[in-house]
Amino acid sequence: VQLQASGGGLVQAGGSLRLSCTVSGLHFHAYRMGWFRQAPGKEREFVAGINRGGDNTYYTDSVKGRFTISRENAKNTGYLQMNNLSRDDTAQYYCALTPLPVPRTSDGYKYWGQGTLVTVSS
């Protein structure tokens, strides 16, 4: 099983990035997906989650209205559209898969990608 996260980079505050997570080695449509992030010196935190069909989404309060999680099961790929980025969004971002109903804690996820770094400058 492989989860390949991409799309991170350096962006100015107020800008946007779109992260992608391409999955191989399992039936992507059978798993719920989550995005987590970990800033230096901080614990990994839940950012967003999506159910198998893509019609239910979940967000941590700090990103509501700015981030959008989505998925294309036919392409085995999930996305995290991030708008109006701030310095507080600077972190390593991870995608993860779970057979459980979208946990908000990292221990509920079975498969993890390697992470992609998002750096927001002022």
Side-chain angles (χ1 to χ4, degrees):
V1 178
Q2 284 192 326
L3 284 70
Q4 183 69 44
S6 62
L10 176 63
V11 63
Q12 287 190 327
S16 298
L17 283 174
R18 187 194 197 200
L19 306 184
S20 298
C21 179
T22 301
V23 177
S24 61
L26 51 68
H27 296 294
F28 178 58
H29 65 271
Y31 290 81
R32 289 84 169 181
M33 188 180 75
W35 284 94
F36 286 74
R37 66 185 180 187
Q38 188 166 18
K42 294 187 177 180
E43 293 191 354
R44 190 171 296 189
E45 66 168 344
F46 174 83
V47 175
I50 190 167
N51 68 343
R52 290 173 295 186
D55 54 343
N56 285 325
T57 57
Y58 311 86
Y59 300 93
T60 192
D61 287 346
S62 63
V63 308
K64 284 181 181 176
R66 301 188 298 122
F67 290 13
T68 303
I69 188 172
S70 61
R71 64 191 294 165
E72 288 188 83
N73 287 341
K75 294 184 178 181
N76 291 340
T77 302
Y79 306 96
L80 185 67
Q81 176 68 43
M82 306 186 296
N83 298 329
N84 194 21
L85 286 160
S86 73
R87 291 187 65 183
D88 289 342
D89 298 313
T90 294
Q92 191 83 358
Y93 282 73
Y94 300 88
C95 56
L97 298 180
T98 176
L100 303 174
V102 190
R104 290 177 179 253
T105 57
S106 59
D107 58 3
Y109 288 79
K110 186 173 183 179
Y111 301 107
W112 288 84
Q114 85 290 359
T116 184
L117 181 62
V118 173
T119 304
V120 184
S121 64
S122 58

